[in-house]
Amino acid sequence: PISRDTVIIAISQPPIKRISLVAYIMLLLCIQVDHDSVFNNLTYTVVCMSDVIQFLFRFSLFAILHSVFAIPSLKKRCTDRNSHLRRFYRLYYNLASIALFGWFMAAFRHSAVLYVVPGVWSLVLYAMQVTFLIILFACVRQTGVAEFLGVSRMTPDGLKTSKLVTNGWYRVVRHPLYLFSILFLLSNPVISVRWLLLTLVSVVYFV
């Protein structure tokens, strides 16, 4: 431990020696820091970085597969060869997307909270999120819930009912589902590491 006499001796020395002794005392103070606390913080940082890398890797895989299997030419090539797949392609696509989404979200086991919006503003942001969810549901209803889920295509008549939607929110913006999903993510009053990463990668992917 650093004693009072050590500090007095350091002060009474000439300037150059005083600087050296002060630096030495500061080093001793650093050494006396709780090593368990430093080790725990370092361990958490390593684990967190590992989760971030794994999260980004899984999201990249999700984004690639989600985009590739939505390409019209690939979809046509797959469905032309199999009448069963033609009717269930959309349903299988949605189920696979949900499974992959859950898989990459499960990568982040340790997610610290970075910021919480204080007071009444958090309620305002929650209200905005509810509003965006209502708008998202309205957009799905415009395209048809069964059509969106892929259930309507399970019957032969369902393959002939798909149409281009140009009214409602689709009249205002080309991809309202993407837009209001981004706004929903940005409106969360509780920002954790995982939520921040999800928001950033979603904005990049949607845009």
Side-chain angles (χ1 to χ4, degrees), residues 8 34-35 37 39 42 70 74 98 100 140 143 163 192 194:
I8 294 174
D34 184 0
H35 295 288
S37 176
F39 179 77
L42 181 61
L74 178 63
I98 293 172
L100 282 172
V140 172
T143 59
K163 59 180 180 178
S192 63
R194 180 171 63 176

Side-chain angles (χ1 to χ4, degrees), residues 99-117:
L100 282 172
F101 182 82
W103 176 65
F104 88 74
M105 286 297 290
F108 222 121
R109 300 181 304 276
H110 310 278
S111 182
V113 175
L114 300 176
Y115 183 72
V116 179
V117 177

Side-chain angles (χ1 to χ4, degrees), residues 34-186:
D34 184 0
H35 295 288
D36 290 337
S37 176
V38 173
F39 179 77
N40 290 336
N41 290 335
L42 181 61
T43 303
Y44 176 80
T45 302
V46 172
V47 171
C48 187
M49 286 303 299
S50 174
D51 285 343
V52 169
I53 294 171
Q54 191 174 166
F55 180 88
L56 293 176
F57 169 75
R58 292 191 183 190
F59 178 83
S60 300
L61 188 60
F62 163 80
I64 291 170
L65 293 175
H66 190 265
S67 300
V68 167
F69 284 99
I71 298 174
S73 58
L74 178 63
K75 179 181 175 181
K76 187 176 185 303
R77 183 177 299 178
C78 294
T79 55
D80 284 348
R81 298 178 180 180
N82 191 319
S83 59
H84 172 81
L85 188 58
R86 186 182 305 119
R87 293 184 325 200
F88 289 90
Y89 189 91
R90 176 77 180 184
L91 180 62
Y92 292 158
Y93 177 81
N94 287 333
L95 292 175
S97 298
I98 293 172
L100 282 172
F101 182 82
W103 176 65
F104 88 74
M105 286 297 290
F108 222 121
R109 300 181 304 276
H110 310 278
S111 182
V113 175
L114 300 176
Y115 183 72
V116 179
V117 177
V120 70
W121 291 109
S122 62
L123 298 178
V124 172
L125 290 175
Y126 279 128
M128 290 173 62
Q129 283 191 309
V130 172
T131 302
F132 295 139
L133 282 176
I134 293 172
I135 295 174
L136 285 168
F137 182 70
C139 293
V140 172
R141 286 192 62 187
Q142 282 185 254
T143 59
V145 178
E147 173 68 20
F148 179 80
L149 296 176
V151 178
S152 64
R153 298 178 177 233
M154 294 170 62
T155 61
D157 293 336
L159 295 172
K160 305 175 184 178
T161 58
S162 59
K163 59 180 180 178
L164 180 64
V165 179
T166 57
N167 60 338
W169 288 104
Y170 288 89
R171 183 180 177 183
V172 179
V173 60
R174 183 177 181 182
H175 296 294
L177 292 177
Y178 291 172
L179 172 63
F180 291 109
S181 294
I182 291 173
L183 293 177
F184 174 82
L185 292 171
L186 292 174

